[in-house]
Amino acid sequence: MKFFIDTANLDQIAQAQAMGILDGVTTNPSLMAKEGITGHDNILEHYRKICRLVPGGAISAEVLATDYSHMVSEGRELAGLDPQIVVKVPISEDGLRAIKTFHDEGIQTNCTLVFSAAQALLAAKAGARYVSPFLGRLDDIDSDGLELIRQIRQIFDNYAIETRILAASIRHVKHITGCALLGADVVTAPLSAIKGMLVHPLTENGLKKFVEDAAKMTK
Ligand code: E4P
C-alpha cells in the first residue's frame, strides 16, 4: 500500500518524507488556502516546491475550475509543471469529460469527491489513474466510509480495473488499517494519523524500561 500525505504544508511534507515512508502528496483548494497560498504564480510555485520535497512521488494538484474547458486548460498547465503532477478533478459530467481528455493526452488524474461506488466506476471508465473516496466525510454523516472502500475494491477486482483506490479524508489510524485490510491501493492521511501509526502504549512502556536497564548496564 502506498502512503500519501494529505496537506499542502511544506514542513509536514518534509517530516513525512524524512520518515522514509512517503509515496506522494495530495492537496486540495482548502488545504492550499489554509497555507495562505494565493495567486496563480504562487500556486504553481508551491506545487513545484512540493515536487522537489518528494522526488519521484505522485503529487495531486487540483483544478479550481468546474467547467470542462477551463478544467482542461488548468490541468494541462499543472501537468506541465512536473512529470510528478497528477491532476485532481472533481467527479461531475464535465469532470469525467476532462478525465477522458487527460487520459487521451497521457496526463494522470485523480478523481476526487467520490462518495459512491457508482461514481468510482464512472471515473475509472473515463480513465482516471486514481479515485479518491472520502471516508471521513461519509463517517461524519453516519454513513460507512470503509464499506465504500470494500465495494469499490470488489468492483475493480471483478473487472480487473487498474485505477488505483486512493482512500482520502482519513481521520485516524483505524481508517488506515481498515483500508489496508480491504486492499485500498493508497491512503492519503494527515501527518497526525501517519505518526499515530507509530504509537502503542506497550512500546512506550517497553522502551522506557529498556532505557532504564541500559543505564544500569553502562554504570
Ligand atoms: C484528499 O484528496 C482530500 O481532498 C482530503 O482527504 C479531504 O479530507 P477532509 O475530508 O479531511 O477535508
Side-chain angles (χ1 to χ4, degrees):
M1 185 167 71
K2 303 257 186 215
F3 275 81
F4 293 179
I5 186 167
D6 195 23
T7 184
N9 181 283
L10 298 179
D11 177 58
Q12 292 189 14
I13 294 168
Q15 284 187 55
Q17 173 68 4
M19 288 172 75
I21 49 81
L22 197 62
D23 300 300
V25 180
T26 50
T27 62
N28 63 35
S30 307
L31 294 171
M32 292 287 278
K34 197 172 157 190
E35 298 308 313
I37 314 299
T38 53
H40 178 262
D41 292 351
N42 291 334
I43 292 170
L44 299 188
E45 184 50 28
H46 200 75
Y47 288 134
R48 283 194 202 94
K49 286 181 187 166
I50 294 176
C51 289
R52 285 197 293 269
L53 278 175
V54 190
I59 312 301
S60 281
E62 188 160 342
V63 294
L64 304 180
T66 54
D67 66 286
Y68 170 78
S69 60
H70 288 102
M71 278 197 266
V72 168
S73 53
E74 254 189 74
R76 284 177 182 147
E77 185 174 33
L78 290 168
L81 287 177
D82 193 291
Q84 292 174 235
I85 293 285
V86 175
V87 178
K88 206 169 168 193
V89 180
I91 184 84
S92 67
E93 271 192 56
D94 282 35
L96 277 184
R97 267 184 78 196
I99 288 166
K100 175 78 172 86
T101 298
F102 290 135
H103 178 259
D104 293 346
E105 295 178 5
I107 294 173
Q108 293 199 346
T109 53
N110 169 2
C111 183
T112 190
L113 287 170
V114 167
F115 290 96
S116 74
Q119 290 176 328
L121 185 55
L122 278 177
K125 188 78 185 162
R129 169 74 164 181
Y130 300 93
V131 289
S132 285
F134 278 31
L135 274 73
R137 293 194 197 183
L138 281 169
D139 288 359
D140 288 347
I141 60 160
D142 200 22
S143 190
D144 187 346
L146 285 172
E147 170 58 16
L148 176 58
I149 300 294
R150 192 196 63 73
Q151 289 178 8
I152 299 173
R153 179 76 280 154
Q154 184 176 328
I155 291 168
F156 283 11
D157 288 351
N158 285 348
Y159 297 99
I161 289 170
E162 289 183 0
T163 299
R164 274 45 166 191
I165 302 173
L166 196 175
S169 188
I170 296 286
R171 301 271 194 261
H172 44 66
V173 177
K174 241 179 141 178
H175 274 155
I176 299 176
T177 46
C179 285
L181 284 166
L182 290 167
D185 300 289
V186 188
V187 286
T188 187
L191 186 63
S192 56
I194 295 172
K195 287 199 169 176
M197 295 173 75
L198 281 168
V199 178
H200 196 287
L202 293 180
T203 305
E204 282 166 27
N205 292 347
L207 188 58
K208 188 165 169 271
K209 180 85 171 73
F210 284 160
V211 168
E212 283 165 10
D213 290 342
K216 289 176 200 160
M217 290 166 61
T218 52
K219 264 185 189 164

